[in-house]
């Protein structure tokens, strides 16, 4: 496994973004692991996170885009941190845009904050994690409603490697088939298991035999 992937997995653990135990997800699934980008809370953490995302986006999609769209709410700081990192690392100014959950009817009106999206814009969507693909179902029409816009791809930090809403193929593959969007991740759950299973990190074994068995059971039902 590439060194940067190992570093990113350890970074998620250090920031308590990636946790193991018993969790109920937005999709309703009961999961033995949980990833929450809302736990990145310090300036140093967000700076480093933006750099990981910027490098992954650059490697997967190049510089051929104009706007980074982060769906509310967790996508807002992700898009801001990554546009800053992109400028510093690659010298290219990318505009950030996010949506509001509620339509604003005064001042900066509308459903969007940050940069407006206009005809001809090329957009990359940034999210923390995609479990079933439900979030992209909400995000896609918002972006497309702004005009003649090309969505270049979706970048998430962790591919949970689970079935999408259709229940047949993985969520990222389903997104590609349904929306024509290339969906990529900095790391996959397989990478996480490979790096942490029965290995000590900072004095802890995060994935022992018991947890590995729970993950295996989970993937029997939801995995791809």
């Amino acid at each position: 496994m590439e060194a940067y992937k190992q570093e990113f997995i350890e970074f998620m653990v250090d920031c308590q973004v990636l946790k193991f135990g018993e969790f109920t997800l937005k999709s309703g699934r009961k999961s033995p692991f949980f990833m929450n980008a809302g736990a990145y809370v310090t300036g140093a953490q967000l700076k480093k996170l933006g750099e990981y995302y910027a490098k992954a986006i650059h490697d997967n999609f190049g510089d051929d885009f104009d706007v980074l769209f982060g769906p509310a709410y967790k996508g807002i700081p992700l898009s801001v941190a990554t546009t800053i990192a992109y400028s510093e690392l690659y010298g290219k100014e990318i505009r950030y845009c996010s949506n509001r959950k509620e339509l604003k009817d005064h001042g900066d009106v509308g459903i969007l904050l940050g940069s407006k999206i206009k005809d001809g814009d090329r957009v990359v969507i940034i999210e923390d994690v995609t479990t079933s693909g439900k979030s992209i179902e909400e995000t896609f029409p918002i972006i497309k409603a702004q005009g003649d816009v090309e969505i270049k791809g979706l970048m998430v930090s962790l591919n949970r490697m689970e079935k999408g809403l259709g229940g047949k193929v993985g969520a990222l593959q389903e997104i590609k088939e349904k929306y024509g969007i290339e969906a990529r991740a900095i790391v996959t759950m397989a990478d996480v298991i490979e790096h942490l299973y029965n290995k000590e990190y900072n004095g802890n074994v995060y994935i022992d035999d018991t947890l590995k068995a729970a993950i295996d059971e989970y993937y029997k039902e939801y995995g791809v």
Side-chain angles (χ1 to χ4, degrees), residues 29 131-133 159 161-178 222-224:
R29 298 173 183 176
T131 301
S132 65
N159 179 359
M161 301 173 63
E162 297 178 33
K163 296 173 184 175
L165 293 175
K168 294 181 179 179
V169 298
L172 297 189
Q173 179 63 28
E174 189 172 89
I175 288 169
K176 181 178 180 179
E177 293 177 359
K178 187 172 182 179
Y222 300 115
V224 291

Side-chain angles (χ1 to χ4, degrees), residues 51-181:
E51 290 169 355
Y52 278 118
Y53 266 110
K55 290 174 182 176
I57 290 170
H58 185 266
D59 288 349
N60 284 277
F61 303 117
D63 291 330
D64 194 26
F65 70 103
D66 311 290
V67 180
L68 194 58
F69 186 92
Y73 291 101
K74 291 177 184 174
I76 297 173
L78 295 181
S79 60
V80 172
T82 304
T83 52
I84 293 170
Y86 213 94
S87 174
E88 292 180 345
L89 290 174
Y90 303 110
K92 182 176 175 63
E93 294 294 355
I94 302 298
R95 291 145 44 213
Y96 101 90
C97 180
S98 295
N99 64 297
R100 294 183 172 95
K101 291 287 188 179
E102 307 83 17
L103 190 67
K104 189 176 180 184
D105 59 4
H106 61 280
D108 184 17
V109 299
I111 197 170
L112 301 181
L113 52 86
S115 170
K116 303 302 181 186
I117 300 176
K118 59 184 186 299
D119 286 349
D121 276 342
R122 299 157 301 174
V123 179
V124 170
I125 304 170
I126 183 171
E127 289 200 272
D128 57 345
V129 64
T130 295
T131 301
S132 65
K134 186 176 181 180
S135 58
I136 201 72
E137 197 172 62
E138 302 167 356
T139 301
F140 187 86
I142 292 173
I143 297 174
K144 281 297 189 179
Q146 307 309 312
D148 183 16
V149 177
E150 178 186 1
I151 300 178
K152 301 286 291 186
L154 164 69
M155 179 59 67
V156 301
S157 58
L158 176 66
N159 179 359
R160 289 182 57 103
M161 301 173 63
E162 297 178 33
K163 296 173 184 175
L165 293 175
K168 294 181 179 179
V169 298
L172 297 189
Q173 179 63 28
E174 189 172 89
I175 288 169
K176 181 178 180 179
E177 293 177 359
K178 187 172 182 179
Y179 301 103
I181 301 173

Side-chain angles (χ1 to χ4, degrees), residues 186-201:
I186 301 174
V187 294
T188 68
M189 198 58 204
D191 295 327
V192 172
I193 294 168
E194 177 186 338
H195 189 54
L196 295 179
Y197 176 45
N198 275 346
K199 296 176 184 175
E200 187 175 299
Y201 175 66

